Amino acid sequence: MVADERTPGSARTRVAVAGARAATESSFGRRGRADKAGNAVFVSILLVGLGAALAGLVGIILWAAVTGWPFLSTKLITNNPSTIDIANAGYRPAIVGTVYLISGVILLIVPLGVGSAIFLEEFADKTRWWNRLIELNIQNLAGVPSIVFGILGLGFIARGPLSLNFVVAAGSLTLALLVLPTVILAAREAIKSVPPSIREGSLALGATPWQTVRRQVLPAAIPGILTGVILAVSRAIGETAPLLLVGAATFVTFDPDFFSSRYSALPVQIFTYAGRPQEEFRILAAAGVIVMLAVVLVMNSLAIWLRNHYERKI
Amino acid sequence: MRLASNRLARLVALLMALTLVAAACGGGDEGTDLGTASGGDLSGSVNLDGSSTVGPLSEVAAELFMQENPGVQVSVAISGTGGGFEKFCQGETDGNNASREIKEEEVSLCEQRSIAYDNVQVANDALSAVVHPDFPLDCMTPDQLNQIWDEGSAVSAWGDVEGLDLPDDAATESVTLFGPGSDSGTFDFFTDAINGEEGRIRNDYTDIGEDDQAAVQGVSGDEWAMAYIPYSFVQEAGDSVKPLAIDDGGGCVEATLENVQSGDYTPLGRPLFLYASDTALARPEVVAFFDFYIENQAEIAEAAGYVPMNDEQAAAAQEQVATLAGA
Amino acid sequence: MTVGPDIAAPSPGVAVRRTLGAASPRYGEKAIMAVLAACAALSIAVTTAIVVTLVLPSIAFFREVPIGEFLTGTTWQPAFSNAAFGVLPIVVGTLMVTAIALVVAVPVGLCCAVYLSEYAGPRARKVIKPVLEILEGIPTVATGLFALLFLRPFAEDVLPFLPWGGLFSLLIAGIGVGLIIVPLVSSVADDALRAVPPGLREGAYALGGNKFKVTVRVVFPAALSGVIAAIVLGMSRAIGETMIVLIAAGGGNPNLSFDIFGSVQTMTAFIGRTATGDISQGTIKYDTIFAVGTLLFVMTLAINVVAIRLVRRFREVYE
């Protein structure tokens, strides 16, 4: 019956149907145990893959902990950097600088990223060439190397039209532009995955398109959007190259100001220390990595708590 | 469970708050106390940028200076000598750490902005050709180094180098070379001093990029390897590498503090500069910083692992600052 | 404003809308749409700025160095006195590092994604997903140092028979880059897999498929567009990665080389090194940054155009 009709619909559906049919037909006959074995093998392959990723993470953490162990203490967080007394040096201004930078980045990417994603998914006419251009553009920007954003930041943000000078705001803006495509892409995927029935129902009940987006689509898409923001912020925290060009210092002993003073950042500090001849500096660099991981852990936990708070099955 | 991970997440977020509080409250530097003096009434900021070689030197100077003048905020960045000059000539920094002298292209940048500058020397540095501790020779001439490193060099085994007094079994050992990246001042200086032209060098050595430490590792692991690295790395490497003495016509001169300071270690001794500008020196805190830097340069160089200036160089530097500041 | 058929008023007392359009001008809606459009258009502004920053100095560069020599030459030594500007060695370096990174990240990332979306219970998911996000958050400096100082000696200890040359290795740098793009690939693919409606899975189960077959033959193909997007995103990130290759891949060879056990210089590492090095600005040596940057930009653009086509072909629209 069904097999005789030409199944309408996309090639996708046809592939899925063919797959289901093959799956069904292959399980006719006495194949129970082989299936179970096949399943077990498959799951173990998956677990090997997962294990490889976790092993990498654990490897990095362990290496940093073991190498940086001699200098691991609260002094890392409370002390200023020092070149003469390396054993007592700390990362305080760099931590504060990083926190300020990331706060700026978050403030910028959430409205801009979500706004762009909403526009592209909900309101843009996808057949228009300019919307396709924007789409291509964003995807392309996701791959532009971070150092190019550094050059952009130096030419346009720290100097040029914006002329913010070498301050935290310039660094934040540069980093925000760098990670914005990631947020937009993830937010788009999240919004795309909200079933159209929700939108249609809302519109049918008389809501305006924006009300629909704000009250129905966005809350449903928030977990996915938060994933994108977490990924973006994680990347931004660790970026070194653009900050070096945009004027991050490697030695400051004061708390920075958003708009009017030099600043430092953790990854810049770590990179600089790793290249110094003195062995103690390299231990300090590894200890700095631990501090960075702690900062990342804390920020991620906050975001995860937020995401769990909003997650609900549709 | 959802509740458990929520609780965990909240706990960690609380830790974050505590950490930030600790960071904010625990401000002080528990470093060594190097004798405070008065003069703590200066305020303002001094922003330096430039070479990553001279950076650590300026950091030590900044640290010591701020101990005596807590009202001044000194910051040091490392955009590279070239990037630093560009910022310096736009008036965005108050001094440029430079491992080389300013080049013509950069001079025109400064002239465009009518910034008068001067190359204030702040320390000496020495490049060393290093080999494995068990390498049979202790000394080479610049000409022999040139044979090894020159562009189009045919040297592939140690026996190919003319005039080396090697044991017979060494002649067939192949030469392994490590060198820094072509973007570094060290590269420019070495090629100029040994091969006669900046950038003139053979192209089949192992390029270690940014990581001078990798050169130390490479050489200490291969009895027949050679590299050239700055003084501070040689000091830190200790016994794992052997710096060759250089015979530039007056006998074998080792790269010791005294030889470099007196200028006897040629041709691989080089000055390190902190370029000063008249616009920056118009501010008292900048003048105070430069004066402090030059007055205490021996202590600063020693703490950072560099070679101090001799009295002549220090006096010249002081004069340069005074002239620019007065101008 | 009047759109749609005119409906004749039936009996009195019943209010009938004359049109199907909106009852009010909805200026608020239009204003919001304008704001959102501006957000999206910001990306065009950024790209324009990048193009301006890169292309203008490149024009000066290409007046000195013929573009043919640039694109086809096989020796790259711009800062040497006998300078050569053939960009192929660093292009090949970039492509090889990216290839190794994808070989590492795509299987691992997809395994993680499939496991997370199909096999992991909610408890396991709530633990594993954040852990992968921490992997994403590790600064690339740390991964680079880890690759150089731990992975490389470790690899030589474990596999001493391979021709490891020197301290830097393309292979190790590629593995490092692969490691950091695993969370990206995994997370986007996971979202795509989760977006496949349960109905599709349940239908396949009902027809007798086991979990393995349902996952591989039904769910995975249905999420293909998202998976391709994930891979392309990972590839773009790998091509653009700077710090890991800067630290762990060394300075590379001026001549074209395919040795995965030796040092390599990628386009990004070259730009990073030269931009923060001691080379003076305004010289040809410095302007190579912009030429290489432009090339990089054009390459990623080409890859993305192809990828968008692919994704569009496979996009599944549910319901």
Side-chain angles (χ1 to χ4, degrees), chain A residues 93-106:
Chain A
I95 296 176
V96 175
T98 295
V99 170
Y100 280 24
L101 276 173
I102 296 307
S103 311
V105 168
I106 295 178

Side-chain angles (χ1 to χ4, degrees), chain B residues 277-322:
Chain B
S277 68
D278 57 350
T279 39
L281 284 174
R283 307 203 315 269
E285 66 267 22
V286 182
V287 179
F289 178 72
F290 270 87
D291 284 337
F292 179 90
Y293 206 145
I294 300 169
E295 263 174 54
N296 298 293
Q297 56 96 16
E299 190 183 359
I300 293 173
E302 195 186 313
Y306 291 83
V307 178
M309 298 189 278
N310 56 39
D311 296 328
E312 229 180 274
Q313 294 164 331
Q318 223 143 17
E319 228 185 274
Q320 282 171 301
V321 173

Side-chain angles (χ1 to χ4, degrees), chain C residues 12 23 32 37 96 118 141 146-147 155 157 159 176 207:
Chain C
I32 291 177
M96 286 180 69
E118 303 298 314
V141 179
F146 171 72
D157 287 339
L159 304 165
L207 291 169

